[in-house]
Amino acid sequence: MKIFNDNSCGWIDYKNQRSNIKKLSNDLSCDYLIVGAGFTGLSAARKLGQIAKNKKIILIDAQLAGEGASSRNSGYLVDTTLNDGFTSNKELKNYKKKTDIYKLGIEVVKKFIKEYQVDCEWNESGKYFASSKSEDRKILENFSETLTKLGFKHNLLSNNELNRRLGTNFYNTALYTKGGILLHPGKLVRAMIDTLPENVELFENSLLLDWKTKNDLISCTFENGNISTKKVIFATNGFLKSLGIKSNYNFPLTLTASMTRPLTDEEFKSIGKPKEWGVLPVKPMGATIRMTKDRKILIRNTAEVHNPSKMSQSELNKRSIKQKFGIKKRFPQLPNDIIQSTWSGIVSRTRNSSQIFEKIDDNIFVAGCYNGSGIGVGTLFGEQIAIKASKENTHEIETIEARNKPTWLPPQPFLNLGIKTRLIYERIKARSEI
Ligand SMILES: Cc1cc2nc3c(=O)[nH]c(=O)nc-3n(C[C@H](O)[C@H](O)[C@H](O)COP(=O)(O)OP(=O)(O)OC[C@H]3O[C@@H](n4cnc5c(N)ncnc54)[C@H](O)[C@@H]3O)c2cc1C
């Protein structure tokens, strides 16, 4: 299986490509091999470069580093995510564990951008969980109780105020959380690549085909060479399953998103010149929609079971039409043809939305499956799995390991059938919000 990404992601600066790309072309050996160079793998490599100075460290990716989901997301660095209920103490305790991890994720990204003076359009603007349906107020009120108990600053808003803040009359109810950051994911991940420690060797466009343990070593077969390593960290997220890793605990989903050109002065005025904002849907299959700092509108409103290694241009065009409608519904006064880029990206899911962070065998480690919170949690998990692989412990590892573990998934074909049925059901429930 090859991985083909479309070259149309609005966050990737295709005009300013890196020039120092190295492809694996012979057999090598190393102390640490990290497979996958997104937020998780880059962060693991950075940490290992700092703590294992005399070891040979290789980071390798099937495509260009950072150009998977890590560049293709919506750029929300989240402190909270919305789930139904959380009324009992047990649920509250579990939700707190989740937000403790988000908090650590924000801290680790913040530390990185401060240390390396990264410009990634960081904006502590907070975020909105919004719905056009007034009846969803009940869900938001329950969520508000949870947030109050855990001390998260937030408030509930109605149509007029939302119209003023977002420039659209579409939403009738929302919960605004003060925490949560909006950023430019392409710039953040690029900075992680540009600041990799010198003792990390990066190979790109080098697909891992197979791996097996051999005596005390792990032997990895790539398209154009083999790497024999003492320890390996798998950070391939949506492609863990295709490598046979934790196969009964994770599955990939394909998302698509579109971004418009910057709105003209007149168009921007017509929607009330709002400040940068980000809306997440109350219903899971609703649209994520963002107004960027440079007046572009980003929308993501599809999630589906699809071949994770490629989406064709014609299939992408169909998703783009859905996104055009999503924008039109919210901003009828804007022209029809303002979408400038449409792209797909792969996320990894588990049944109970819990992440994977594990030593799966002697010297074999894996971190992944963050659903929609991989910017912070992926960066955190990458760093901490590197520390775990070095046989150290931290309070962050203890916090991560206190979370609920992912639960078992049924085998194929039942799995895909179950996921597809669930997605159809969620899509119907969210049809007004797409
Ligand atoms: C449209 C979209 C919107 C999202 N919105 C948000 C958001 O707003 N906030 C948020 O926090 N998260 C969001 N996410 C999720 C987030 O992008 C991911 O959780 C995060 O990027 C995971 O990082 P990662 O490094 O673990 O995985 P990835 O970035 O997916 O990196 C994995 C890498 O592994 C490589 N790889 C895979 N298989 C192989 C192989 N066989 N050999 C070699 N290399 C391989 C891939 O090429 C890839 O580069 C979104 C995702 C998408 C697609």
Side-chain angles (χ1 to χ4, degrees):
M1 184 196 73
K2 278 224 166 225
I3 300 175
F4 296 97
N5 265 321
D6 48 78
N7 282 331
S8 51
C9 174
W11 295 119
I12 298 175
D13 185 358
Y14 293 104
K15 288 195 200 110
N16 179 22
Q17 288 283 20
R18 290 168 28 252
S19 55
N20 50 345
I21 316 282
K22 262 196 314 186
K23 198 170 167 171
L24 184 72
S25 56
N26 53 336
D27 292 351
L28 294 174
S29 61
C30 61
D31 295 295
Y32 289 97
L33 173 67
I34 304 149
V35 187
F39 289 125
T40 308
L42 286 162
S43 192
R46 188 172 59 254
K47 193 50 152 188
L48 279 176
Q50 290 161 357
I51 61 179
K53 285 210 160 38
N54 300 320
K55 303 284 183 191
K56 187 165 165 54
I57 304 159
I58 295 179
L59 171 64
I60 194 157
D61 201 292
Q63 52 186 320
L64 291 179
E67 295 202 3
S70 292
S71 278
R72 294 165 178 272
N73 59 68
S74 307
Y76 294 66
L77 176 53
V78 295
D79 61 335
T80 48
T81 44
L82 171 61
N83 290 284
D84 298 357
F86 299 113
T87 41
S88 74
N89 279 341
K90 186 165 168 260
E91 285 165 334
L92 190 70
K93 223 165 108 188
N94 286 334
Y95 190 66
K96 181 167 181 326
K97 286 183 192 167
K98 223 180 202 185
T99 54
D100 286 346
I101 291 178
Y102 295 154
K103 183 165 179 259
L104 291 173
I106 293 178
E107 280 167 13
V108 77
V109 178
K110 205 169 184 169
K111 185 164 167 267
F112 170 76
I113 63 163
K114 199 166 164 210
E115 201 170 322
Y116 294 93
Q117 296 290 300
V118 175
D119 169 18
C120 61
E121 301 179 14
W122 181 275
N123 185 350
E124 296 185 10
S125 60
K127 63 186 179 317
Y128 299 83
F129 293 100
S131 171
S132 72
K133 296 277 179 209
S134 301
E135 55 265 32
D136 284 343
R137 184 83 172 184
K138 190 75 210 133
I139 299 174
L140 294 176
E141 281 168 359
N142 284 345
F143 188 41
S144 168
E145 275 178 37
T146 303
L147 296 184
T148 303
K149 283 180 196 153
L150 297 179
F152 286 99
K153 286 194 182 144
H154 68 282
N155 55 304
L156 289 158
L157 298 164
S158 300
N159 176 273
N160 286 347
E161 183 60 12
L162 289 167
N163 193 359
R164 197 182 66 73
R165 293 195 194 189
L166 310 177
T168 168
N169 204 15
F170 179 76
Y171 294 106
N172 275 306
T173 185
L175 184 147
Y176 169 74
T177 66
K178 197 163 179 298
I181 290 108
L182 294 176
L183 52 76
H184 187 307
K187 287 190 180 175
L188 176 63
V189 78
R190 175 73 182 257
M192 290 187 185
I193 300 164
D194 292 343
T195 58
L196 274 174
E198 280 183 3
N199 54 340
V200 172
E201 197 172 6
L202 173 64
F203 292 99
E204 299 168 84
N205 295 325
S206 305
L207 178 78
L208 174 64
L209 299 171
D210 197 11
W211 61 280
K212 56 177 180 291
T213 46
K214 210 166 149 191
N215 305 324
D216 283 346
L217 297 174
I218 301 118
S219 163
C220 297
T221 310
F222 291 83
E223 281 171 313
N224 295 313
N226 300 310
I227 301 181
S228 175
T229 180
K230 290 182 186 157
K231 292 188 182 182
V232 64
I233 295 175
F234 288 110
T236 54
N237 204 39
F239 300 89
L240 288 172
K241 200 177 172 74
S242 63
L243 289 169
I245 298 158
K246 300 286 295 175
S247 302
N248 292 328
Y249 293 87
N250 73 95
F251 60 90
L253 279 186
T254 301
L255 313 187
T256 62
S258 288
M259 199 188 277
T260 67
R261 58 163 169 72
L263 300 185
T264 62
D265 286 349
E266 212 162 292
E267 287 160 358
F268 194 51
K269 201 169 150 210
S270 80
I271 65 165
K273 296 187 179 176
K275 287 196 187 129
E276 182 177 16
W277 52 257
V279 164
L280 292 165
V282 172
K283 302 255 171 53
M285 288 295 279
T288 297
I289 183 154
R290 224 187 115 170
M291 172 67 64
T292 67
K293 189 178 164 194
D294 54 356
R295 301 180 185 179
K296 293 176 181 170
I297 299 171
L298 170 131
I299 180 164
R300 187 223 43 86
N301 62 5
T302 74
E304 60 196 295
V305 176
H306 193 278
N307 173 4
S309 63
K310 186 178 172 65
M311 182 174 275
S312 71
Q313 190 55 48
S314 65
E315 287 174 295
L316 211 48
N317 292 346
K318 285 185 204 149
R319 308 318 182 263
S320 180
I321 291 170
K322 276 196 189 158
Q323 281 140 16
K324 182 167 96 178
F325 285 132
I327 294 175
K328 204 69 194 160
K329 218 153 71 169
R330 289 158 176 88
F331 301 100
Q333 67 273 53
L334 296 180
N336 282 331
D337 57 350
I338 52 173
I339 289 183
Q340 199 168 46
S341 53
T342 301
W343 64 91
S344 64
I346 312 301
V347 292
S348 176
R349 292 289 319 247
T350 54
R351 187 173 186 163
N352 60 351
S353 298
S354 191
Q355 309 93 351
I356 294 177
F357 180 90
E358 239 177 277
K359 174 179 175 179
I360 51 171
D361 207 338
D362 278 351
N363 302 322
I364 305 177
F365 299 82
V366 54
C369 300
Y370 318 110
N371 191 19
S373 59
I375 299 176
V377 184
T379 307
L380 171 74
F381 275 35
E383 193 176 284
Q384 296 302 318
I385 202 76
I387 296 173
K388 192 175 168 78
S390 319
K391 294 197 173 150
E392 299 291 330
N393 199 15
T394 59
H395 87 93
E396 286 89 344
I397 292 180
E398 282 165 18
T399 306
I400 293 168
E401 293 188 338
R403 81 204 184 287
N404 285 343
K405 305 287 177 294
T407 43
W408 188 83
L409 290 163
Q412 298 292 12
F414 306 104
L415 177 61
N416 274 1
L417 202 68
I419 303 168
K420 282 181 183 169
T421 312
R422 179 68 191 256
L423 289 178
I424 291 171
Y425 169 72
E426 294 290 355
R427 212 171 289 138
I428 291 170
K429 274 199 352 189
R431 62 190 177 282
S432 58
E433 310 303 305
I434 292 170

